[in-house]
Amino acid sequence: SSGINAEWPLRPGMILELLDESLVLFRRLMCWDLQHMIYVKLSVNNEYSTSISPEIHEKILDWNSVDKKLYDHFYKKLQGIISEQDNDFHKEVAMLKKMNADFWRECYSKVLPVFDGNKVGYTLQDTHSDNRTCKILATDDVTQTHIIGLKQFKDTLPPSDILMVRNHMQNLNKHNPAMLKWADVYKVLDPENAAKLRSDL
């Protein structure tokens, strides 16, 4: 693709402030469809991080000076890569933003109050209450990692581990009803007993 050379994989992959641009660059590198880059925002800056005094802000930068230098270095490099892209790239970034907005509007009816400091929850549109894609994208990475582990090791995991994941998901689901529910996961783990589990929950 235009403006992407063989050195790019060794450069910064993702910068949060330039996430859409980063995702389009990655999509072009991997030759994926743009729809595979759609994402849902599941965390925000908490009140503490947005209300600290200038003095504390300077101290944090001083304490994390090495991290800041790394960030500034790769941010500048990524900006350079983006500046080399053609008009098609910037049209693609705009298209990704529009696709994200359309997806959020189609899937979710409401953004819920922040919980656990910086996490965001959603409610599903009535028309998409069983849409698995909407649920998966509203499910945080930690929960998704637990689910993958359950699927991979379902025959060897002790019941206590399975119970831990179930409790974790049920607690999060109170704040984020749009995410995958335990019953959605159990249908995959144990299809024969899924109906019984749903009644037990």
Side-chain angles (χ1 to χ4, degrees):
S1 295
S2 172
I4 300 179
N5 55 41
E7 189 184 358
W8 189 79
L10 303 178
R11 295 184 178 184
M14 300 284 165
I15 296 289
L16 183 60
E17 290 83 355
L18 298 170
L19 183 57
D20 294 310
E21 291 84 353
S22 299
L23 288 172
V24 171
L25 284 171
F26 193 62
R27 182 212 73 75
R28 290 183 166 204
L29 184 71
M30 301 300 293
C31 300
W32 290 345
D33 290 335
L34 191 61
Q35 65 181 9
H36 294 152
M37 300 292 104
I38 291 173
Y39 61 90
V40 174
K41 186 176 182 179
L42 295 176
S43 63
V44 295
N45 288 334
N46 58 35
E47 291 182 3
Y48 174 76
S49 66
T50 58
S51 62
I52 59 176
S53 68
E55 292 79 11
I56 296 296
H57 183 264
E58 286 302 317
K59 285 185 178 180
I60 291 173
L61 291 179
D62 183 52
W63 294 333
N64 297 276
S65 59
V66 175
D67 290 336
K68 185 177 184 303
K69 286 178 181 177
L70 284 171
Y71 173 85
D72 290 343
H73 172 76
F74 287 114
Y75 185 88
K76 183 178 178 180
K77 279 208 166 189
L78 183 57
Q79 281 187 315
I81 294 170
I82 292 170
S83 69
E84 297 169 357
Q85 305 307 303
D86 56 19
N87 286 335
D88 286 343
F89 170 83
H90 297 288
K91 289 178 181 177
E92 203 170 322
V93 171
M95 178 60 69
L96 176 59
K97 291 180 179 180
K98 182 181 184 301
M99 289 172 67
N100 262 326
D102 291 344
F103 178 84
W104 297 343
R105 227 175 355 254
E106 182 178 345
C107 279
Y108 312 115
S109 59
K110 188 178 180 181
V111 181
L112 299 177
V114 174
F115 66 98
D116 283 358
N118 68 340
K119 295 183 177 64
V120 178
Y122 299 87
T123 56
L124 290 166
Q125 295 280 10
D126 292 339
T127 54
H128 287 65
S129 58
D130 294 319
N131 187 296
R132 189 167 180 81
T133 301
C134 296
K135 290 182 177 182
I136 289 174
L137 265 70
T139 303
D140 65 282
D141 57 335
V142 173
T143 301
Q144 300 232 29
T145 301
H146 286 326
I147 292 170
I148 292 169
L150 286 179
K151 290 178 180 179
Q152 289 179 331
F153 306 109
K154 64 180 182 180
D155 296 326
T156 58
L157 283 174
S160 58
D161 284 9
I162 298 174
L163 184 63
M164 178 198 73
V165 176
R166 188 194 73 171
N167 292 342
H168 165 82
M169 293 185 68
Q170 289 178 334
N171 287 332
L172 280 182
N173 199 252
K174 296 173 184 176
H175 304 282
N176 185 13
M179 64 177 281
L180 285 168
K181 293 180 171 55
W182 172 246
D184 297 320
V185 176
Y186 200 81
K187 280 190 291 189
V188 177
L189 296 178
D190 193 353
E192 293 181 2
N193 293 318
K196 178 180 182 300
L197 179 88
R198 184 182 292 273
S199 63
D200 291 343
L201 298 177

